[in-house]
Amino acid sequence: MAVEGHVLQASSSSKLPGVLVMAWPCGLATSTDALGAFRVSCPQGIDSLTLSCMGFDTQVVVSPASHVDVWMEDLRVMLGQAQVAANRFSELEASALDQPTLVQALDRTPGLESLDLGAGMIQPVVRGLFGSRVAVLEDGVPQQGGRWGSDHGVLVAPELQVASAWVPGGGHVWMGPEAVGGGLRFESPSRANAPETQTRMGAMVQLGQIKGGLHALHIASTPKIHWHAGMSVTGFGSSQVPQRRFAYLGRVYQLETGALTNTAGLSGHAVFGVERETHAGRTLTWSMRLSDV
């Protein structure tokens, strides 16, 4: 006994190709052609047909006639309510960078050193490896430009951040596959890490390499709203930066004078951010940073 027919979409009456049609009890199967037509047979007769297709409800036709047309209904799935919760935890191996300057913090961290590239450009590198191999993230956003070689710097203003940490090793997902050495993580002020209103100001003068700077950061935080604003300006004179060697395009060059000429100029950073909790319990965040070096 053979059964033939067509399969159509119920919502549009358009023909459906590629629908699997199984005949029972023999279990033989076929599929509809480009026009939605099919033909299937069983030696001992057919008592039912099962029609299935991705995106549609499975249809069962009992005691079909020699010709049957089947309309497939779109698959609809009703999902129950789902609750998603996230718990923030600190990495045990993360260590805070609490030195007066970022250069000192990097140079005093085991396995790291810094390469001063000029006015406001600091490159963290791993000792013994070419290139940076160190991920640098600000509020979870990576600085891609400073990861591919020792002649590319990263723009960071740690005096306008409230938390900075060094995580060794490259086994963390947030670093990316290229950061075999580890990652530097900087965090801007927020209700989570700066829950109190405060103002930070400071000045820095370095006569040995003719360097001076000023910075100010104000944080205003309440249970419902948080905002922060800050600015830093640093001046660099034409100086000689102590440097024993530098790498460029895969080659390492030794400096006979033990110093690398720095670029004179100014570097400036400005940050601003707002965080507010709505009546529905959601958190809206907006932040920006401007840098000029």
Side-chain angles (χ1 to χ4, degrees):
M1 177 182 177
V3 176
E4 60 183 16
H6 297 83
V7 180
L8 304 95
Q9 185 176 0
S11 59
S12 62
S13 297
S14 59
K15 299 177 176 62
L16 285 178
V19 178
L20 180 64
V21 182
M22 296 191 68
W24 304 102
C26 65
L28 295 178
T30 186
S31 60
T32 57
D33 58 17
L35 299 177
F38 71 92
R39 188 178 189 277
V40 65
S41 61
C42 278
Q44 291 81 25
I46 298 176
D47 57 23
S48 65
L49 296 175
T50 301
L51 298 92
S52 59
C53 182
M54 184 177 296
F56 296 89
D57 283 327
T58 299
Q59 302 287 339
V60 177
V61 180
V62 180
S63 301
S66 59
H67 182 92
V68 59
D69 292 332
V70 182
W71 279 263
M72 302 285 287
E73 298 284 348
D74 293 335
L75 179 63
R76 292 180 174 86
V77 179
M78 183 66 68
L79 298 178
Q81 184 178 6
Q83 183 177 1
V84 179
N87 296 322
R88 184 174 182 178
F89 59 92
S90 59
E91 293 155 307
L92 297 179
E93 64 272 31
S95 57
L97 301 179
D98 53 1
Q99 299 297 328
T101 66
L102 182 60
V103 174
Q104 295 177 4
L106 294 177
D107 289 340
R108 296 181 184 180
T109 301
L112 281 181
E113 63 182 352
S114 64
L115 178 62
D116 195 330
L117 302 174
M121 301 290 285
I122 301 298
Q123 173 66 64
V125 298
V126 180
R127 293 190 179 99
L129 292 179
F130 167 71
S132 64
R133 302 304 188 210
V134 177
V136 179
L137 288 87
E138 287 189 273
D139 297 325
V141 179
Q143 288 202 8
Q144 299 289 354
R147 299 172 65 178
W148 303 113
S150 56
D151 58 337
H152 296 278
V154 292
L155 289 173
V156 291
E159 65 275 6
L160 302 180
Q161 312 283 341
V162 296
S164 57
W166 156 248
V167 183
H172 300 279
V173 176
W174 60 269
M175 295 182 190
E178 301 87 6
V180 298
L184 286 169
R185 185 168 52 207
F186 298 92
E187 295 183 7
S188 299
S190 66
R191 289 191 304 165
N193 55 32
E196 299 179 355
T197 299
Q198 54 185 293
T199 300
R200 303 180 182 181
M201 294 184 294
M204 179 267 297
V205 177
Q206 186 174 328
L207 298 179
Q209 295 180 8
I210 314 176
K211 181 179 180 181
L214 298 171
H215 72 271
L217 175 64
H218 179 72
I219 303 171
S221 187
T222 66
K224 291 293 183 180
I225 189 171
H226 165 98
W227 68 272
H228 67 273
M231 183 178 65
S232 67
V233 178
T234 305
F236 298 81
S238 181
S239 61
Q240 301 290 320
V241 178
Q243 194 77 31
R244 299 182 302 273
R245 64 188 185 279
F246 71 96
Y248 185 74
L249 298 179
R251 298 187 61 183
V252 178
Y253 298 88
Q254 300 292 334
L255 297 176
E256 295 181 357
T257 60
L260 182 66
T261 302
N262 194 6
T263 304
L266 292 174
S267 69
H269 302 274
V271 296
F272 180 76
V274 178
E275 183 178 343
R276 181 180 179 85
E277 183 178 346
T278 65
H279 296 290
R282 299 178 180 177
T283 301
L284 301 178
T285 303
W286 182 85
S287 62
M288 63 175 294
R289 192 192 75 172
L290 301 176
S291 297
D292 184 19
V293 298

